């Protein structure tokens, strides 16, 4: 049973920074991809960034490229999202997710989410 626990959300002013963490447990993640998604009030959940555990390849939504950085620490089984130059439109609940790295696999494991609020 995969468990994903997010932390690090909070309230920050526009232009500020936050670092989210996702602690993963329950299996070996070497054959997995992990990602961050977010959902703002009244909007659908959207992809933010992902990382392949074995290759370190990363992918970003256009809206966060150059501002957000996804990374992982193998020893701690933890994934991070460093968010810089935050904007009010980044306000959302941020979710950590995991899936098998095979192309076409769905994001089947999710954390409970952490709130990020950016004030203008």
């Amino acid at each position: 049973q995969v468990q994903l626990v997010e932390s690090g959300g909070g309230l920050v002013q526009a232009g500020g920074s936050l670092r989210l963490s996702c602690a993963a447990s329950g299996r070996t993640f070497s054959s997995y991809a992990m990602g961050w998604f977010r959902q703002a009030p009244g909007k659908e959940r959207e992809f933010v960034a992902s990382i392949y555990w074995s290759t370190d390849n990363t992918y970003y939504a256009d809206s966060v490229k150059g501002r957000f950085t996804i990374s992982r620490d193998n020893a701690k089984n933890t994934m991070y999202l460093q968010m810089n130059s935050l904007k009010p439109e980044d306000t959302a609940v941020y979710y950590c997710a995991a899936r098998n790295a095979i192309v076409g696999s769905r994001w089947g494991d999710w954390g409970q989410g952490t709130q990020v609020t950016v004030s203008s």
Side-chain angles (χ1 to χ4, degrees), residues 12-15 40 67 85-92 116-120:
V12 64
Q13 288 189 332
R67 300 188 299 122
S85 302
L86 282 161
K87 305 175 181 180
E89 51 263 44
D90 294 318
T91 295
V116 171
T117 303
V118 185
S119 62
S120 57

Side-chain angles (χ1 to χ4, degrees), residues 9-79:
L11 173 64
V12 64
Q13 288 189 332
S17 298
L18 281 175
R19 189 176 82 154
L20 304 183
S21 299
C22 173
S25 62
R27 65 160 297 120
T28 300
F29 291 93
S30 58
S31 61
Y32 264 54
M34 295 187 69
W36 290 98
F37 291 75
R38 67 186 182 186
Q39 187 167 20
K43 295 187 177 181
E44 293 191 352
R45 189 174 300 186
E46 65 175 2
F47 170 79
V48 175
S50 64
I51 186 167
Y52 281 74
W53 210 259
S54 60
T55 64
D56 221 20
N57 287 346
T58 58
Y59 301 88
Y60 296 92
D62 288 343
S63 58
V64 307
K65 278 181 183 176
R67 300 188 299 122
F68 291 9
T69 302
I70 190 171
S71 63
R72 54 134 176 82
D73 184 329
N74 279 350
K76 296 181 179 180
N77 253 16
T78 299
M79 177 179 65

Side-chain angles (χ1 to χ4, degrees), residues 1-16:
Q1 182 75 15
V2 174
Q3 288 191 322
L4 304 172
V5 180
E6 303 98 333
S7 61
L11 173 64
V12 64
Q13 288 189 332

